[in-house]
Amino acid sequence: MTELLNNFITDIIDDDIKNNKSKSFINTRFPPEPNGYLHIGHAKSIFLNYGIAKQYKGSCNLRFDDTNPTKESMDYINSIIDDVKWLVGIKNIGKILYASDYFDRMYELAIELINQNLAYVDDQNIDDIKKNRGDYNIQGIESPYRNRSIEENIKLFKNMKNGMYQDGEKVLRAKIDMNAKNINLRDPIMYRILHAHHPRTGNEWCIYPMYDWAHGIEDSIEKITHSICTLEFEDHRPLYDWFLEKLKIHHPKQIEFAKLSMTYTLFSKRNLLKLVDNNIVDGWDDPRMPTISGLRRRGYTAKAIKNFVLSLGVAKREAISDFNHLEYYLREDLNSISYRKMVVLDPVKLIIENYNEEESEFLEAENNPENSSYGSRMIPFSKELYIERNDFMENAPKKFFRLSVGREVRLKHAYYITCTGFKTDETGKLVEITCTYDPSTKGGWSNDGRKVRGTIHWVSAKDCLNAEIRIYNRLFNIERPTLDNIHLDSKTIITNAKIEPSLVEVDFNQKYQFLRLGYFVFDKESNENNLIFNQSVALRNNWK
RNA sequence: UGGGGGAUCGUUCAAUGGUAGGACACAUGGUUUUGGUCCAUGGAAUCGGGGUUCGACUCCCUGUCCCCCAGCCA
């Protein structure tokens, strides 16, 4: 995790420092709009911006781009703060800043631009503005209000601010070039009238700055040196530069990179919002969602997400990352930190014929074979156990290393057993397996050189607890989905899982590996009477 | 049919005029009280066509394909 960021952006920064275009302290920012929850695509931007600032001994702050009150809310602001804290650590988050704190300054600078005769109030309605903007092939037409006097523009702009007009009645536009090939430069709108309640400034303002006008000023005020954003803003860079140049204020360098996309997932807030609103998922933090809060509930760690996005690198080429790649880093982290437990998802009784019914004993089980400091626990063993239904096969092929009549397997941490028979009900369903155990193999080992290829997990029938276990699958069934490709079986709920008694205590911070099955965490809906687990990811499995 | 960007193993990122390399995925073998982990090995790529050069993923010309842009969203 200490690896150095080395990509085309750090190359640019290195050049800028070498050519004295920039100080060696590099300041960045993570500037989300609070109009939805953060997803793993944002995590890439977060680790890039915070990582660069750290690497170049500068600062990185969380700044909310809260310039559109019609889409934003405190709920989103709070969720974003929680997510960034969780990802980068509470002490590394930097300052929490808001574009709305700069509204006064932006207003002053707009007046300044009007005074330079570089901005004007336009009375055209939305349709006329659109029509007169032209398109790729058609030149724009200058607004009839474009050449108002500076004094009149100042007066009208103040009136706009003071609430003398209705929404949409007037806008403030920059006076650039209606024939520019880049349509963003055809007199872009700087302010629109919005009589809306802002989550932070309330009803103080009824004019709100547009992104292009606001963003560069925000960066400038914060002394950002390199303003990193995604590819779709490339066309906006000339405008970013134009405003800062005319204003003669600190001018950060905007650099664009390709955002993250992943197979089997949808990223746009528009689509994620639909999944939530249409109840396809159970909220923004549904464990199937690619949101930070969803991944966290699913049992992902910040470290796994960080290692994943860092492994991806940074480039301008648009790329779709493989979901497997993310899961690899999750397993890598979870393998080293999770507590091993034995849990049976689809239980079937196993009776040990030569084990005394009254007897019972405790066997020692290591908590993490990767790390002995995790210690061990004692688990109860008795005559009747539960094992996994699919660990038995009536007519087993040679390579089936588990239970079948006459075959010997190891019960993990316990004994070798040999299957003696099985019972089915009238429908042919397996209801009970019988076996004998070898008392000399306590702990699951013998020194006689016996080869026991298979090892299966189990729980003691009279000691185990019941739990609900939620298994998740991809939300979409094709690699590059649209909302039409919802995977209908993306969630399976198992209500009668049998779990070892050491899991009785609900601990939301702990990661578990259920032996031979996968990684699991307690779901937030768990309580001491209702143990609920989410599967984070299954173990890799080469069998079948 | 305007403007802006991009094209390297299946996927993703390197190589900045000098042996195309890593990770994931896949395959094979080894270790193993998890068919996990770990270890080893293997297959696998420079979008096409010209040119410059002793030498081109890299520079030049040309073609093709992909992405973004016509919100009072960000």
Side-chain angles (χ1 to χ4, degrees):
Chain A
M1 293 253 284
T2 51
E3 80 187 77
L4 229 50
L5 257 18
N6 183 12
N7 52 54
F8 85 97
I9 296 178
T10 58
D11 288 346
I12 291 172
I13 291 172
D14 291 339
D15 276 352
D16 286 347
I17 292 171
K18 204 170 82 186
N19 300 324
N20 291 315
K21 284 183 188 164
S22 174
K23 291 180 186 151
S24 60
F25 298 92
I26 300 303
N27 298 329
T28 58
R29 94 266 98 111
F30 173 61
E33 184 191 10
N35 67 342
Y37 280 55
L38 255 30
H39 54 65
I40 191 168
H42 294 107
K44 180 171 181 176
S45 175
I46 288 168
F47 287 120
L48 214 209
N49 278 295
Y50 279 91
I52 284 178
K54 186 176 182 192
Q55 189 162 318
Y56 291 91
K57 299 180 171 38
S59 67
C60 180
N61 299 316
L62 167 60
R63 180 184 73 227
F64 287 98
D65 226 343
D66 54 346
T67 57
N68 183 0
T70 65
K71 291 187 175 174
E72 299 157 7
S73 73
M74 281 311 294
D75 178 40
Y76 291 136
I77 288 175
N78 291 330
S79 78
I80 290 170
I81 292 173
D82 286 347
D83 287 348
V84 178
K85 277 182 183 169
W86 182 71
L87 283 171
V88 305
I90 194 159
K91 61 188 183 303
N92 298 319
I93 194 170
K95 294 180 197 149
I96 297 175
L97 305 170
Y98 297 85
S100 52
D101 285 340
Y102 312 140
F103 282 170
D104 283 314
R105 178 65 178 148
M106 289 175 192
Y107 178 78
E108 282 170 28
L109 290 171
I111 299 274
E112 207 171 304
L113 215 58
I114 295 172
N115 277 321
Q116 290 185 49
N117 199 22
L118 290 174
Y120 63 97
V121 172
D122 194 348
D123 298 0
Q124 292 183 104
N125 65 36
I126 191 166
D127 294 326
D128 286 338
I129 287 179
K130 200 173 286 199
K131 194 175 72 200
N132 292 335
R133 184 151 40 217
D135 65 24
Y136 303 144
N137 302 308
I138 300 170
Q139 294 189 359
I141 296 166
E142 292 188 355
S143 165
Y145 306 97
R146 196 174 199 260
N147 293 310
R148 295 216 244 233
S149 70
I150 290 173
E151 294 68 33
E152 190 182 7
N153 279 319
I154 299 269
K155 192 185 93 196
L156 294 172
F157 183 50
K158 284 186 174 167
N159 289 345
M160 279 172 64
K161 183 199 179 216
N162 291 331
M164 297 181 62
Y165 309 118
Q166 300 295 304
D167 288 5
E169 205 176 321
K170 285 180 170 45
V171 290
L172 184 73
R173 300 179 73 175
K175 194 186 285 189
I176 306 183
D177 178 4
M178 288 307 291
N179 291 327
K181 286 177 174 170
N182 180 342
I183 293 174
N184 293 131
L185 261 17
R186 319 247 260 229
D187 288 8
I189 292 168
M190 294 164 59
Y191 277 96
R192 75 284 213 188
I193 299 170
L194 244 33
H195 290 273
H197 184 86
H198 186 281
R200 297 191 74 249
T201 60
N203 297 322
E204 190 183 341
W205 293 86
C206 64
I207 57 170
Y208 289 93
M210 296 285 288
Y211 169 86
D212 287 305
W213 168 243
H215 203 85
I217 296 173
E218 297 161 24
D219 286 343
S220 184
I221 289 172
E222 294 169 7
K223 295 282 183 280
I224 301 302
T225 57
H226 296 263
S227 176
I228 298 166
C229 62
T230 46
L231 249 28
E232 66 268 28
F233 292 102
E234 278 178 320
D235 285 345
H236 294 250
R237 185 172 1 110
L239 188 48
Y240 182 95
D241 291 337
W242 190 89
F243 281 129
L244 294 175
E245 211 170 283
K246 298 301 179 196
L247 258 17
K248 297 186 180 63
I249 55 178
H250 170 70
H251 190 157
K253 177 181 279 190
Q254 176 177 309
I255 304 171
E256 310 86 11
F257 73 99
K259 66 174 145 213
L260 170 69
S261 25
M262 264 197 321
T263 55
Y264 299 102
T265 105
L266 244 29
F267 275 112
S268 80
K269 287 184 190 162
R270 196 185 111 256
N271 284 329
L272 296 182
L273 188 59
K274 272 189 190 161
L275 294 173
V276 173
D277 285 348
N278 298 340
N279 294 316
I280 292 164
V281 296
D282 308 320
W284 285 97
D285 70 343
D286 184 292
R288 292 164 293 181
M289 289 283 270
T291 51
I292 301 301
S293 52
L295 293 170
R296 184 168 55 226
R297 186 173 173 188
R298 178 84 176 257
Y300 276 69
T301 61
K303 183 177 176 182
I305 294 172
K306 179 175 185 177
N307 288 344
F308 167 69
V309 300
L310 291 183
S311 79
L312 261 23
V314 181
K316 295 197 81 147
R317 161 185 1 154
E318 287 173 358
I320 300 179
S321 299
D322 198 329
F323 203 95
N324 290 322
H325 200 71
L326 207 210
E327 292 186 330
Y328 169 82
Y329 286 100
L330 209 220
R331 290 192 185 100
E332 182 188 52
D333 190 27
L334 261 18
N335 179 53
S336 66
I337 64 171
S338 66
Y339 282 75
R340 271 57 174 176
K341 298 290 179 186
M342 291 207 283
V343 168
V344 177
L345 297 183
D346 187 7
V348 62
K349 270 270 176 70
L350 176 75
I351 314 284
I352 304 171
E353 294 167 318
N354 57 341
Y355 198 89
N356 190 326
E357 190 144 2
E358 268 71 57
E359 206 176 322
S360 186
E361 63 186 309
F362 280 88
L363 300 166
E364 185 175 13
E366 62 188 347
N367 288 328
N368 185 333
E370 308 294 316
N371 187 342
S372 57
S373 74
Y374 278 59
S376 62
R377 66 194 184 284
M378 302 304 284
I379 44 182
F381 183 85
S382 60
K383 183 181 180 73
E384 294 194 7
L385 310 176
Y386 286 113
I387 65 168
E388 223 49 82
R389 181 175 302 277
N390 65 13
D391 280 339
F392 175 86
M393 224 181 200
E394 187 179 345
N395 301 304
K398 199 158 186 187
K399 291 230 166 180
F400 185 77
F401 303 138
R402 306 173 225 171
L403 229 43
S404 194
V405 175
R407 293 199 191 180
E408 184 172 51
V409 303
R410 168 169 36 239
L411 292 176
K412 179 78 176 174
H413 303 309
Y415 295 97
Y416 293 174
I417 56 166
T418 301
C419 182
T420 55
F422 64 95
K423 287 183 192 156
T424 56
D425 64 14
E426 55 284 355
T427 66
K429 189 183 173 195
L430 180 68
V431 291
E432 187 182 295
I433 303 166
T434 51
C435 68
T436 57
Y437 85 115
D438 179 348
S440 72
T441 58
K442 182 169 178 174
W445 184 250
S446 67
N447 288 317
D448 56 9
R450 234 186 302 175
K451 274 220 157 53
V452 177
R453 187 70 171 78
T455 301
I456 65 176
H457 59 278
W458 52 273
V459 293
S460 166
K462 68 175 188 217
D463 300 295
C464 68
L465 306 168
N466 234 66
E468 173 176 326
I469 297 189
R470 299 171 180 173
I471 309 282
Y472 301 101
N473 215 320
R474 316 245 125 115
L475 234 197
F476 299 96
N477 50 27
I478 63 173
E479 282 197 2
R480 301 180 187 202
T482 66
L483 281 175
D484 297 329
N485 306 110
I486 305 279
H487 186 181
L488 296 173
D489 284 326
S490 59
K491 181 180 183 180
T492 305
I493 298 180
I494 295 168
T495 53
N496 64 332
K498 305 295 183 188
I499 69 177
E500 63 168 80
S502 70
L503 282 167
V504 66
E505 211 161 298
V506 178
D507 184 344
F508 294 110
N509 295 315
Q510 212 52 259
K511 312 294 181 203
Y512 302 103
Q513 185 198 96
F514 294 172
L515 238 50
R516 303 208 300 135
L517 297 173
Y519 296 98
F520 294 81
V521 288
F522 278 104
D523 185 75
K524 68 174 187 183
E525 293 173 356
S526 291
N527 59 55
E528 53 194 55
N529 301 315
N530 198 11
L531 305 174
I532 303 171
F533 294 89
N534 291 320
Q535 183 189 57
S536 309
V537 64
L539 248 33
R540 282 181 43 156
N541 185 0
N542 292 323
W543 167 251
K544 57 186 168 180

